[in-house]
Amino acid sequence: MLEWRRRREPSKAMLYLSPLIAIGLTMLTGMLVFGAIGYDGLRAVTAIFITPLMEPQRWADLGIKAAPLIMIALGLAIGFRANVWNIGAEGQYVMGAIAGTGVALLTHDMTGWWILPAMALAGIAGGAAYAAVPALLKVRLQVSEILTSLMLTYVAVQFLYYLVRGPWKDPDGFNFPQTKMFSGSQTLPAVAEGSLVHLGVPLAILLAMIAWFVMSKTIAGYAVRVVGRAPAAARHGGFDADRVTWAALLAGGGLAGLAGLFEAAGPFGQLTPQFPVGYGFTAIIVAFLGRLSPVGIVFGALVLAVTYVGGEIAQSTVRLPSAATGMFQALLLFFLLATDVLVRYRLARKARPARSAS
């Protein structure tokens, strides 16, 4: 018989192997589930997880999908390390896009290099300001940031719907609920002529490098880690937990807002009701898949980007429903949390009770 035994100290090997085990279990379970309901399970899993990596023409799509996930997950990871649970990054992503689009509409008839940076700053400010609401409620009234940030997401989405169907509706848009298309000065340039990859992709990698430096080499990063792991020790060390809470939520909101602006100024080129695509929620999976490490987050974002691109491929080749992508992402989170037990526990043979002497 086998039993779970607590390890003397967490296993570093399983800390990094368990995400790979979770990916493997996700693929296996997905193959069995879709096979059981009448699809070719092996072909479905291949289309979602393997085909995007084997077709070079899809690599640009992977970068475009991964970039916002990297930005949002970096901000979330800072909060999670500080034991601050920002679950409303999707709302901050939307509000950042709205703020940046506001600048775009004000400068629509202008040209200049400064317009796009102004939109980016507005996106950061919009996302951070929206994250300041749960930060204030957390610090002043001890209200759970999980609930407030999550509920504010739906407010942001409804505000977006109001704007694109009302005051920001394009009068030349044939009555479609959408803003004007952004001009050339308001869209992200491609990294190379003829490439689909926009400037936001290398900037996301740069932000991951900056986050790694801040979290591992600065006093601010040390404060975040100490407050998250040992609040009592942080107080004795002179670190202000409330200040860290503010910083974590504002950083998460700002990076989510920047990601929203980059999506609006990149793949979308305008705001539409379809803009909230769930990146803010998916980034939670990315953060945990990457073990809250900036380097790991880049890897995790690529994995989730593969599921997005592969899901589109599977819809056309295997005829899977569009919900298949969400199912695989949910399975991945489930198995990721389940395999975390391997970090602190191990399976061992159950000791037989000693026989008493007769």
Side-chain angles (χ1 to χ4, degrees):
M1 295 290 290
L2 298 177
E3 64 177 357
W4 288 104
R5 289 185 186 172
R6 189 176 182 87
R7 299 179 188 271
R8 292 183 178 178
E9 57 184 39
S11 169
K12 290 185 178 180
M14 292 311 304
L15 184 67
Y16 299 107
L17 283 176
S18 57
L20 300 178
I21 296 172
I23 293 171
L25 290 173
T26 299
M27 296 171 67
L28 177 61
T29 304
M31 183 173 63
L32 295 175
V33 169
F34 282 108
I37 61 177
Y39 293 94
D40 186 335
L42 179 59
R43 190 181 174 201
V45 170
T46 301
I48 291 177
F49 286 95
I50 306 300
T51 302
L53 299 174
M54 301 303 294
E55 296 183 356
Q57 67 270 23
R58 300 281 184 176
W59 293 351
D61 293 335
L62 293 178
I64 293 170
K65 296 287 187 184
L69 294 175
I70 292 172
M71 295 181 195
I72 300 171
L74 287 173
L76 293 180
I78 293 172
F80 295 164
R81 281 184 175 271
N83 210 22
V84 176
W85 302 96
N86 178 11
I87 309 299
E90 180 76 0
Q92 296 145 26
Y93 160 89
V94 171
M95 291 301 292
I98 289 174
T101 299
V103 174
L105 295 178
L106 288 173
T107 61
H108 197 270
D109 296 326
M110 304 179 189
T111 58
W113 63 267
W114 56 272
I115 295 178
L116 191 58
M119 291 168 59
L121 290 174
I124 294 171
Y130 210 57
V133 178
L136 179 65
L137 293 173
K138 170 73 172 180
V139 170
R140 293 293 179 87
L141 302 176
Q142 297 302 306
V143 178
S144 170
E145 72 278 14
I146 298 174
L147 296 177
T148 53
S149 61
L150 178 60
M151 290 188 292
L152 283 170
T153 294
Y154 302 101
V155 177
V157 171
Q158 293 302 318
F159 184 50
L160 169 67
Y161 291 167
Y162 162 73
L163 290 175
V164 298
R165 290 172 177 150
W168 284 6
K169 186 175 180 179
D170 184 5
D172 300 321
F174 303 100
N175 207 35
F176 286 103
Q178 60 190 26
T179 65
K180 294 179 180 180
M181 291 293 297
F182 292 174
S183 67
S185 297
Q186 299 168 338
T187 54
L188 287 170
V191 295
E193 187 175 353
S195 172
L196 296 176
V197 178
H198 57 69
L199 188 61
V201 177
L203 283 177
I205 303 298
L206 177 61
L207 286 171
M209 295 170 63
I210 294 172
W212 171 83
F213 178 81
V214 170
M215 291 302 296
S216 61
K217 303 296 182 181
T218 68
I219 296 295
Y222 179 70
V224 167
R225 298 196 305 273
V226 173
V227 168
R229 291 179 182 177
R235 286 193 298 271
H236 288 294
F239 295 118
D240 189 334
D242 288 346
R243 186 177 297 176
V244 170
T245 298
W246 272 104
L249 281 166
L250 292 181
L255 285 169
L258 181 63
L261 182 276
F262 277 5
E263 279 295 287
F268 278 83
Q270 62 181 161
L271 278 188
T272 72
Q274 291 75 38
F275 184 77
V277 293
Y279 283 150
F281 297 117
T282 305
I284 297 173
I285 306 175
V286 171
F288 282 108
L289 188 63
R291 293 306 186 192
L292 306 184
S293 160
V295 176
I297 282 170
V298 174
F299 163 77
L302 287 173
V303 172
L304 270 298
V306 166
T307 66
Y308 276 114
V309 176
E312 296 171 358
I313 295 172
Q315 288 180 49
S316 59
T317 58
V318 192
R319 305 299 179 186
L320 288 186
S322 58
T325 300
M327 192 206 80
F328 275 104
Q329 292 175 354
L331 281 173
L332 181 56
L333 179 59
F334 172 79
F335 284 120
L336 184 63
L337 296 175
T339 54
D340 267 353
V341 72
L342 298 173
V343 178
R344 296 186 178 276
Y345 292 86
R346 62 184 178 87
L347 279 173
R349 189 180 296 277
K350 191 173 184 180
R352 294 181 179 181
R355 294 182 180 180
S356 59
S358 57

